[in-house]
Structure formats: C-alpha cells, structure tokens
Amino acid sequence: MITSRHQVQNTLEQVDQLVKFLAARIRVALGPDTAFRFELCLSEALTNIVKHAKPNDRKGLIDVITTDRDDTVLVEIFDPVGTEAFDPRNHATDLENVDSLAEKGRGLGLIMQCADVVDYGRSGDRNRLALQFAKAVVTQAGEEE
Amino acid sequence: MIHSKTHDPNITVIGPGAERLTAMNAKVFKDEVTDLINGGATQLIVDFKDVSFLDSSGLGALVGVLKKIGHRGELSVSGLSNDVKQMFRICRMDRVFKVYDDVDSAVQSMAESQ
C-alpha cells in the first residue's frame, strides 16, 4: 500500500496542476479507462470545491490523499477548514436527466457515475469526500475488464 | 488561447490551444470562439487532436458555443482522443455533436453539405 499526501490552495490553477500530476502517476496502476474516470472525478470534485466551497478564501487549503492498494485506488479530498457540508450523493443529477444543451450541472453526476464507491462525511474539522476506483483486470489479450 | 484557420468555403477550424480544456480555461475558450461567431463565422469545427482531457466545464463551454451559433450555422468536432471520446459518450454529447475522426473529414463533410 502506497499513500501520498498533497496540499494545494483553493484556486483553479493549483487544483488543475494537482489533477494532472496525480492522473499521470496513477495511470499505470489503474489502466487507461479507469485512470480517465479517476482524473475526471478528481477534476470535478476539486473544481466544485474551488467554485462553491469557500470562493472568497483563495488561501484556504485543500488536502488530497491517495492510497494505492492491491485492488483499488482510494482518493480522499478534504475541503478547506470551515466549509459547509455538501454531500454529492444528495445533490447529483443523473446524467440521463441533464438537458443535453445545459452548460452546467454535470459535475456531480459524473462523479457518481464514474467512481466505483463514493463516501462523504466529517473527519475532524474537515469535510471528507472519498472516491474509490477498482483496478482494471487486464486479460491475456491485453484488454481491460 | 484558441487558434483558428479558415477553409474555403467559409469553414473555420478552431484549435482550443490547450492540452486540457477545464474550468481553468473554459470561459476563455468560450469567449474567444464567441468573438469569432460575432465576427461572422458560422461554420465551425473544433479540432481536439491536441486536447487530452476535457471536463464538464470544458464540455459546458462547447455546448455554450453550439447554442451561440444556433440555427445560423453548424458546429462539428474532430480528432477526439480516447479520453475525450469517452467524456462525450458518458455525457451523451455524441448525440448532440457531429463527430469526425479527423479535421479533413470534418471539413469535407461540412463543405459538401453547404
């Protein structure tokens, strides 16, 4: 099991760099299809925090912990201290029900659809979103299952 | 950010000018393409061949451009990487946009339909 911890400020520039960095690191472990889902979920979750959690506090800190296990990768995302709770499981719109010409409103639905397990709750004085991804099983033909 | 090239007859091919189209640059992309539309461009192809990642903000900007064109013209996309193609599929955008393997196919198809 390998755990890595990262901390970024509450800005789109910093979270985008972190997403790019973590996605590149985890790609081999997850396989390309799952790695895409990992990158997308991480991008959506962190963007939501920057845009909605504490938009007036750009110095607030976001913590991200990834844990690479035998069969899964877990990513835990901690809002800046003092952020109100927002459980995506209670607010996500099924992508099937999003107006195809809507410019917003897909982020939470993407997280719910693309992560294998979504958990949310308090951890000390922080809100914690945990997303789990099962590692792809590669067949002898080299295809992901 | 974006770069554009006009093909005869009046087809504009746009490169987003970034490897990742996300919340960080989606608004700039939309604003710059909107400027092209306001300048008279109505037959647009967004070529994603140099874009490796697209999130919901980037996709929303693309939908915004489509709405801006409305019935005045046409918007197609080309050169989607596997990840971008998967994003289109998950969000059902493959039902909304005409998708081409490469920009040449998109230009040819759009020219023939004019």
Side-chain angles (χ1 to χ4, degrees):
Chain A
M1 185 172 80
I2 303 169
T3 299
S4 65
R5 298 167 187 273
H6 307 270
Q7 189 172 66
V8 291
Q9 284 190 334
N10 187 28
T11 68
L12 290 175
E13 290 79 7
Q14 289 213 10
V15 300
D16 197 58
Q17 285 300 311
L18 180 61
V19 171
K20 188 177 175 183
F21 172 76
L22 290 176
R25 268 187 42 168
I26 215 74
R27 200 160 189 92
V28 172
L30 284 177
D33 286 347
T34 311
F36 161 73
R37 293 192 283 114
F38 171 92
E39 183 172 9
L40 184 58
C41 288
L42 193 56
S43 182
E44 299 296 342
L46 290 172
T47 296
N48 269 343
I49 290 174
V50 172
K51 283 188 168 178
H52 305 297
K54 292 191 89 177
N56 298 320
D57 180 13
R58 292 297 167 221
K59 291 184 179 174
L61 296 174
I62 301 167
D63 288 280
V64 177
I65 301 173
T66 61
T67 305
D68 187 347
R69 299 170 174 152
D70 288 343
D71 300 329
T72 60
V73 168
L74 174 71
V75 57
E76 299 165 279
I77 301 167
F78 298 85
D79 291 357
V81 173
T83 302
E84 284 189 27
F86 184 84
D87 189 337
R89 298 172 298 182
N90 299 334
H91 296 86
T93 304
D94 190 314
L95 295 174
E96 194 67 56
N97 298 325
V98 176
D99 181 347
S100 59
L101 293 182
E103 295 179 49
K104 296 179 179 177
R106 294 183 179 87
L108 298 179
L110 283 166
I111 292 171
M112 296 306 298
Q113 181 162 332
C114 291
D116 294 316
V117 178
V118 178
D119 191 23
Y120 187 86
R122 293 290 287 179
S123 176
D125 59 352
R126 315 283 292 274
N127 298 310
R128 169 185 173 272
L129 173 65
L131 306 172
Q132 188 168 294
F133 301 86
K135 290 183 177 177
V137 176
V138 180
T139 67
Q140 287 187 330
E143 295 175 348
E144 288 181 38
E145 283 186 337
Chain B
M1 171 178 157
I2 67 167
H3 48 84
S4 62
K5 183 179 177 184
T6 302
H7 294 243
D8 189 48
N10 298 321
I11 295 169
T12 304
V13 176
I14 297 164
E19 184 196 353
R20 299 161 59 78
L21 192 55
T22 65
M24 201 179 77
N25 52 17
K27 185 177 184 308
V28 175
F29 168 79
K30 182 183 170 186
D31 289 348
E32 291 185 3
V33 178
T34 297
D35 286 344
L36 288 177
I37 295 168
N38 291 338
T42 55
Q43 306 295 316
L44 301 181
I45 297 164
V46 178
D47 186 20
F48 280 89
K49 74 176 173 59
D50 295 322
V51 177
S52 64
F53 181 72
L54 175 75
D55 72 0
S56 69
S57 298
L59 197 65
L62 193 64
V63 170
V65 169
L66 179 68
K67 286 157 68 176
K68 184 74 183 173
I69 292 176
H71 297 298
R72 289 180 293 171
E74 191 177 352
L75 173 64
S76 299
V77 297
S78 65
L80 309 191
S81 68
N82 285 338
D83 284 0
V84 174
K85 202 177 287 182
Q86 197 170 345
M87 180 65 173
F88 268 66
R89 185 183 54 74
I90 293 170
C91 294
R92 284 81 172 166
M93 286 296 110
D94 47 355
R95 304 174 190 170
V96 175
F97 292 93
K98 287 183 183 172
V99 179
Y100 295 91
D101 287 343
D102 55 61
V103 71
D104 290 340
S105 306
V107 168
Q108 184 179 346
S109 175
M110 198 173 270
E112 287 172 359
S113 68
Q114 287 184 351

